[in-house]
Amino acid sequence: ERRMGIVVKRAVKRYSIAAVGFLVLAIGILLMPLPGPGVLIVLVGVLILATQFEWAERRVDQVKRAALRGAADSVKTWPRIFVSILGVVGLIAFGVLWCVHPPAPSWWPLEEKWWLYGGWGPGSTLIFSGVVAAGVLVYSYLNFRDIKTDEHTNDEAPANTA
């Protein structure tokens, strides 16, 4: 009986980790078309799945390169940084608006109960997402802003010495 309990416990753990990994992966894939950390969330999902599946472990480096490339691209130019900052501020502002829950405007076509439905739950989630996006933006800026310059410098170095 004890051996059976251990087997069941391991199976539950394995399936739970797999479920969380696939959920995070699916969320990341859904977020990829939007500005933000979609590829980074895909990377987290693949990292979780890699603890249980060999096929996921083989994909980690490829997804990591894509995520780092995306992070570097997001801070490559000042217009991209500016648009990202606008997105962060917009997410947080919309989250605060959702939490405050002002009355529905006159142009709202549905019943007032459907205006910003959900209250603090969705509002706090939007605020949290904005804070995470701000953190990713700052991290990307500090760590990846000069990547293209460094690569360009490394490419030219052998040409200058020859």
Side-chain angles (χ1 to χ4, degrees):
E1 279 182 37
R2 183 175 176 181
R3 184 163 160 65
M4 184 64 144
I6 292 171
V7 170
V8 169
K9 187 176 179 180
R10 285 183 185 163
V12 168
K13 180 181 177 184
R14 179 177 169 87
Y15 289 122
S16 298
I17 291 171
V20 169
F22 281 114
L23 177 65
V24 172
L25 180 64
I27 291 169
I29 290 169
L30 290 173
L31 292 176
M32 283 180 67
L34 303 174
V39 180
L40 293 174
I41 295 172
V42 168
L43 175 61
V44 171
V46 170
L47 286 170
I48 293 169
L49 291 171
T51 65
Q52 303 298 315
F53 302 106
E54 191 176 313
W55 62 264
E57 192 174 339
R58 290 191 305 262
R59 302 293 188 278
V60 168
D61 288 336
Q62 179 183 6
V63 176
K64 184 177 181 181
R65 279 192 302 276
L68 294 176
R69 187 172 42 252
D73 287 347
S74 70
V75 292
K76 191 186 318 184
T77 64
W78 283 108
R80 288 182 183 187
I81 294 170
F82 180 72
V83 169
S84 296
I85 290 171
L86 284 179
V88 165
V89 170
L91 263 175
I92 294 172
F94 195 57
V96 169
L97 176 72
W98 206 296
C99 289
V100 171
H101 198 72
S106 59
W107 54 263
W108 182 249
L110 303 174
E111 295 179 41
E112 186 165 340
K113 71 178 185 176
W114 297 107
W115 170 249
L116 300 176
Y117 183 76
W120 281 95
S124 60
T125 301
L126 287 168
I127 293 169
F128 177 74
S129 297
V131 170
V132 169
V136 169
L137 181 63
V138 169
Y139 179 83
S140 297
Y141 180 82
L142 294 175
N143 291 288
F144 303 122
R145 176 78 170 121
D146 295 324
I147 279 181
K148 292 295 179 190
T149 306
D150 293 340
E151 288 174 356
H152 185 65
T153 305
N154 290 338
D155 290 343
E156 287 183 358
N160 292 338
T161 58

